[in-house]
């Protein structure tokens, strides 16, 4: 029948303990000081992962919640690489370079893009970051450059194109 209520009383007995399971794992590296969701892109990843045009910001797509900007957005119309964080606008992201504010005031995008070889690591905060990142509602990108040394290092690039190799 429609809307009929049926009931059944089950009486369960407590049984004897006959088996135990012990689960163990290696110690996890948990951040217990912040509730923010962050992804660190280390120098080894910058050097080893492929980049189209050597734009390090493309590796921000490895962070959860980050997607390429929608076609027709302000950044894609200019031909720039931009991304969206958790469905927000592509111009709502904030950029820090060695702790200094690094946002182009006119275009609301990254101001200075250091070369990939100069970056030690960068961190992408996508949600739950603290009030020190309170300027923009999107992702917070914090880029740390390599510190100086007493050695001379460098990278040489060449662009080779001819009819035989095309």
């Amino acid at each position: 029948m429609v809307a009929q209520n049926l009931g059944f009383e089950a009486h369960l007995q407590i049984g004897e303990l006959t088996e135990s399971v012990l689960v163990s794992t290696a110690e996890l590296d948990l951040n217990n000081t912040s509730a923010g969701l962050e992804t660190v892109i280390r120098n080894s990843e910058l050097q080893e992962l492929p980049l189209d045009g050597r734009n390090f910001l493309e590796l921000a797509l490895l962070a959860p919640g980050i997607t390429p900007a929608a076609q027709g957005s302000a950044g894609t119309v200019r031909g720039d690489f931009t991304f969206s964080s958790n469905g927000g606008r592509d111009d709502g992201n904030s950029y820090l370079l060695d702790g200094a504010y690094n946002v182009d005031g006119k275009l609301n995008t990254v101001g200075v893009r250091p070369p990939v070889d100069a970056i030690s690591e960068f961190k992408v905060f996508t949600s739950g970051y603290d009030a020190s990142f309170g300027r923009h509602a999107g992702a917070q990108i914090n880029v740390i450059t390599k510190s100086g040394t007493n050695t001379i290092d460098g990278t040489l690039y060449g662009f080779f194109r001819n009819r035989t190799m095309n």
Side-chain angles (χ1 to χ4, degrees):
M1 296 184 104
V2 176
Q4 181 182 7
N5 291 327
L6 295 176
F8 176 76
E9 290 187 26
H11 299 283
L12 302 175
Q13 299 292 328
I14 297 176
E16 294 181 23
L17 180 62
T18 58
E19 185 178 333
S20 65
V21 176
L22 177 64
V23 178
S24 64
T25 182
E27 186 176 326
L28 297 175
D29 185 22
L30 295 177
N31 182 357
N32 57 4
T33 59
S34 170
L37 182 59
E38 59 190 47
T39 302
V40 177
I41 309 296
R42 303 202 188 294
N43 183 266
S44 59
E45 295 164 326
L46 284 165
Q47 300 299 324
E48 296 170 7
L49 293 174
L51 288 173
D52 180 26
R54 297 188 49 80
N55 184 353
F56 72 93
L57 287 174
E58 292 178 4
L59 294 179
L61 295 174
L62 298 173
I66 302 291
T67 57
Q71 291 297 322
S73 68
T76 58
V77 168
R78 289 190 306 268
D80 197 8
F81 173 78
T82 58
F83 56 87
S84 172
S85 174
N86 297 322
R89 294 174 52 114
D90 62 336
D91 60 357
N93 301 319
S94 178
Y95 303 92
L96 296 174
L97 180 61
D98 289 331
Y101 188 63
N102 184 30
V103 175
D104 182 331
K106 182 177 180 182
L107 303 175
N108 225 20
T109 60
V110 63
V112 175
R113 285 195 180 119
V116 175
D117 300 319
I119 298 173
S120 175
E121 66 179 20
F122 72 96
K123 188 180 290 189
V124 181
F125 295 94
T126 52
S127 66
Y129 38 82
D130 61 43
S132 66
F133 299 105
R135 261 186 190 189
H136 297 269
Q140 313 297 319
I141 311 298
N142 191 1
V143 179
I144 305 299
T145 57
K146 293 179 181 176
S147 60
T149 64
N150 290 334
T151 62
I152 298 175
D153 295 313
T155 305
L156 176 67
Y157 297 98
F159 183 75
F160 176 71
R161 180 183 286 177
N162 65 14
R163 292 181 189 200
T164 308
M165 302 297 279
N166 285 346

